[in-house]
Amino acid sequence: MRYLHTMVRVKDLDQALHFYCKLFGLQEIRRYENEKGRFTLVFLAAPGDVDRAKDEAAPCLELTYNWDPEEYAGGRNFGHLAYEVDDIYAFCKHLMDNGVTINRPPRDGHMAFVRSPDGISIEILQKGEHLAAQEPWASMVNTGVW
C-alpha cells in the first residue's frame, strides 16, 4: 500500500491555484478536464516531491473543480493537509503578507495552521528541529493577540 493523493473540492479553481501554487509553493503536475462529467482535476505536488509525483503520480494534492456550482459544507471533515517547510517563520510571514490568516501561529517554532480559501485546514511543520522563538510571533502570543 502507498499514499497517492488527497482530494479536496474547490469552488473557484483560479483562487485555489493562486493559494496553493503562488502563495503556498506547490507545483502543478498534471491536469485532467472531463467535458462529459463537467469537472477538472488538477494534481499538485510540494517542491520536494515533484520528481516522485511525476514518476509515480504520488504524493499529490488533487483539486477537484466541478463546473456546475454547488455548495460544499465542512472543510475539516477529513482532517487536514500537512506540509513541511524549511523556515516556518518566513513561510508564515509570506502567507500573512499575502492576506492569509494564520489560525494557529508558529509560537513554538514548530507548527502552524492556516486555511485554504475553501476552508481546508493545513498544518505547516518546521523541518528538523524547532526554531527558537522569534518576533513578531513571540510577543504576539504574550499579548494575547493569538
Side-chain angles (χ1 to χ4, degrees), residues 81-146:
L81 304 174
Y83 292 94
E84 181 180 71
V85 298
D86 290 328
D87 183 332
I88 195 165
Y89 294 129
F91 192 81
C92 287
K93 181 177 182 338
H94 165 71
L95 293 176
M96 281 181 54
D97 289 348
N98 284 278
V100 176
T101 299
I102 309 298
N103 298 102
R104 193 272 190 202
R107 56 183 161 254
D108 59 1
H110 174 67
M111 177 178 57
F113 276 90
V114 299
R115 285 190 187 269
S116 76
D118 292 287
I120 304 300
S121 183
I122 303 174
E123 179 181 21
I124 304 163
L125 295 167
Q126 173 62 42
K127 182 177 181 178
E129 298 294 319
H130 295 206
L131 298 181
Q134 181 177 318
E135 297 299 337
W137 313 104
S139 62
M140 288 179 175
V141 172
N142 295 334
T143 62
V145 172
W146 304 102

Side-chain angles (χ1 to χ4, degrees), residues 3 5-8 19-20 24 26 60-63 75 78-83 112-114 116 120-125:
Y3 171 78
H5 64 262
T6 297
M7 182 276 272
V8 294
F19 176 81
Y20 287 108
F24 219 75
L26 302 185
C60 289
L61 171 62
E62 173 191 326
L63 303 181
F78 74 95
H80 64 265
L81 304 174
Y83 292 94
F113 276 90
V114 299
S116 76
I120 304 300
S121 183
I122 303 174
E123 179 181 21
I124 304 163
L125 295 167

Side-chain angles (χ1 to χ4, degrees), residues 3-17 19-21 24 26 32 39-45 60-67 70-83 114-123:
Y3 171 78
L4 294 177
H5 64 262
T6 297
M7 182 276 272
V8 294
R9 288 185 172 88
V10 299
K11 294 178 190 178
D12 182 323
L13 185 56
D14 291 334
Q15 182 184 39
L17 288 171
F19 176 81
Y20 287 108
C21 295
F24 219 75
L26 302 185
Y32 172 73
F39 65 86
T40 301
L41 305 179
V42 180
F43 292 86
L44 308 175
C60 289
L61 171 62
E62 173 191 326
L63 303 181
T64 297
Y65 173 67
N66 293 312
W67 300 353
E70 56 182 288
E71 286 298 314
Y72 303 114
R76 289 183 57 98
N77 57 342
F78 74 95
H80 64 265
L81 304 174
Y83 292 94
V114 299
R115 285 190 187 269
S116 76
D118 292 287
I120 304 300
S121 183
I122 303 174
E123 179 181 21

